[in-house]
Amino acid sequence: MPGLLLGDVFPNFEAETTNGQIKFHDFLGDSWGILFSHPRDYTPVCTTELGRAAKLSGEFSRRNVKMIALSIDSLEDHRGWTKDILAYNNEESGCEFPFPIIADSQRELAVALGMLDPDEKDKEGMPLTARCVFVIGQDKKLKLSLLYPATTGRNFDEILRVVDSLQLTAKNRVATPADWQPGERVMVPPNIPEEEAAAMFPAGIYSKELPSGRKYLRYTPQP
């Protein structure tokens, strides 16, 4: 994603959404944020993705995360399509869609954020948006970015797990190992000396014995 690196302040763009005009940093307020793009409205994989995102919106909200989606379709299309998404989720007619969708019909935001997929084009030959995910922290800085092709739907349970890890490690000097789930033990970073680590983690530290003799696999209960 050209020009946008982890730790960069995320652009404070203005955009038209299904919930009205927004300025991104004002929209986020003191919350974390997730901005994710999809190729087109009224398409099968995108419908399943936004359906799952809508199902999990309460979980994201409980973690103080605001969600917002984006594609190059119009507001009218977005509003019509959300009814299909809610029907896919077997929600009752008249339910409100839980997060806004940005209308980026001129592709200005998609270009600025490096969201376009050169291999996926519309009938006019113009590139569509790829399946991007940006996680933004309360400091308005980019904490994580993912980029999927149009043919592969995203796992929003994994994105929720990633948010749990990002929020935990933002508050505590720990790291989360492969396949970590909330409540499981975490890892003590190797740059923390043993004496400091012992004081920092009173619940105890377990070191895995390794052939190298180096004690870099150190675990502690989740703070």
Side-chain angles (χ1 to χ4, degrees), residues 152-172:
T152 303
R154 289 159 287 195
N155 185 330
F156 280 85
D157 294 276
E158 167 62 6
I159 295 171
L160 190 66
R161 187 192 76 90
V162 165
V163 167
D164 284 331
S165 174
L166 290 170
Q167 292 185 340
L168 175 68
T169 57
K171 294 178 181 178
N172 302 276

Side-chain angles (χ1 to χ4, degrees), residues 46 48-49 54 60 72 98 112 114 122 128 134 156 164 172 194:
C46 299
T48 63
E49 284 193 318
F60 284 105
I72 59 171
D122 61 17
L128 302 176
F134 297 114
F156 280 85
D164 284 331
N172 302 276
E194 285 194 29

Side-chain angles (χ1 to χ4, degrees), residues 31-104:
S31 300
W32 287 64
I34 292 182
L35 168 62
F36 59 100
S37 61
H38 57 276
R40 289 311 290 258
D41 296 358
Y42 297 108
T43 54
V45 175
C46 299
T47 299
T48 63
E49 284 193 318
L50 267 74
R52 184 59 182 157
K55 283 278 191 184
L56 289 174
S57 61
E59 291 296 324
F60 284 105
S61 180
R62 276 189 281 277
R63 290 159 171 80
N64 193 30
V65 178
K66 288 187 176 179
M67 308 172 73
I68 187 165
L70 175 149
S71 87
I72 59 171
D73 296 284
S74 67
L75 288 177
E76 182 180 2
D77 281 343
H78 288 342
R79 292 184 176 121
W81 181 45
T82 55
K83 297 175 183 177
D84 287 359
I85 298 169
L86 292 172
Y88 165 77
N89 279 353
N90 295 315
E91 301 284 354
E92 293 184 9
S93 177
C95 287
E96 185 175 344
F97 200 70
F99 52 83
I101 306 176
I102 295 169
D104 188 31

